[in-house]
Amino acid sequence: MDRLSEDQIETGLNELNAHAAGEKWRVEDGKLTKQFVFKDFVQAFGFMTEAAIHAQVLDHHPEWFNVYNKVTVQLATHEAGGITKLDFDLAARMEAVTG
Amino acid sequence: MDRLSEDQIETGLNELNAHAAGEKWRVEDGKLTKQFVFKDFVQAFGFMTEAAIHAQVLDHHPEWFNVYNKVTVQLATHEAGGITKLDFDLAARMEAVTG
């Protein structure tokens, strides 16, 4: 899994954000980042549960922080030293879960 | 729900840590803090799922961060401006989940 170039990441972000609800995905600390906001904790944790199953299926796991109705996600591929297609795949599945 | 004094927090920590597996609970950034380490992501997320149900029952929710097999928990009571008995209750339930 190769690290994507800046151009590839920009193209990926445009595509991902065309279908993204709420806040847009962006690159922060070299990671694909988004804060998801839900109605309450149960909705937020429901999202995390679905996303967790997708992460396990992809064998690619997020860094994520939750407080009450907010989930901040950061995606990167440690072995590649950057953002890869796998990060965009997981991000797209997270968007599908919220849709 | 009243904010606990430093003495009460120290007593609470001693009691909690007498039964804690792994790392000890401590106060960090004014919050009851612990990093839980599991075998893998599925175990870590299983813990989070059980803890999430307890949090919802207590109507008291953690700040927590997960990456793969690690879950860092921070507990405080915003309305009280500090650590309360509710934080120790949730911490004790989290320990019971891992036990």
Side-chain angles (χ1 to χ4, degrees), chain A residues 41 56 61 64-66, chain B residues 41 56 61 63-66:
Chain A
F41 178 73
Q56 189 64 19
H61 302 88
W64 48 2
F65 174 80
N66 162 244
Chain B
F41 178 73
Q56 188 64 19
H61 302 88
E63 295 180 29
W64 48 3
F65 174 81
N66 161 244

Side-chain angles (χ1 to χ4, degrees), chain A residues 30-87:
Chain A
K31 295 166 188 170
L32 209 51
T33 303
K34 175 170 174 170
Q35 181 179 258
F36 292 88
V37 180
F38 300 92
K39 186 170 66 79
D40 55 24
F41 178 73
V42 171
Q43 297 284 328
F45 200 79
F47 160 76
M48 292 179 77
T49 304
E50 292 193 52
I53 294 170
H54 285 294
Q56 189 64 19
V57 168
L58 290 174
D59 193 21
H60 189 61
H61 302 88
E63 295 179 30
W64 48 2
F65 174 80
N66 162 244
V67 54
Y68 197 59
N69 67 327
K70 296 189 180 70
V71 182
T72 304
V73 176
Q74 292 204 299
L75 307 177
T77 306
H78 191 254
E79 310 81 51
I83 294 170
T84 66
K85 186 175 175 302
L86 210 42
D87 298 302

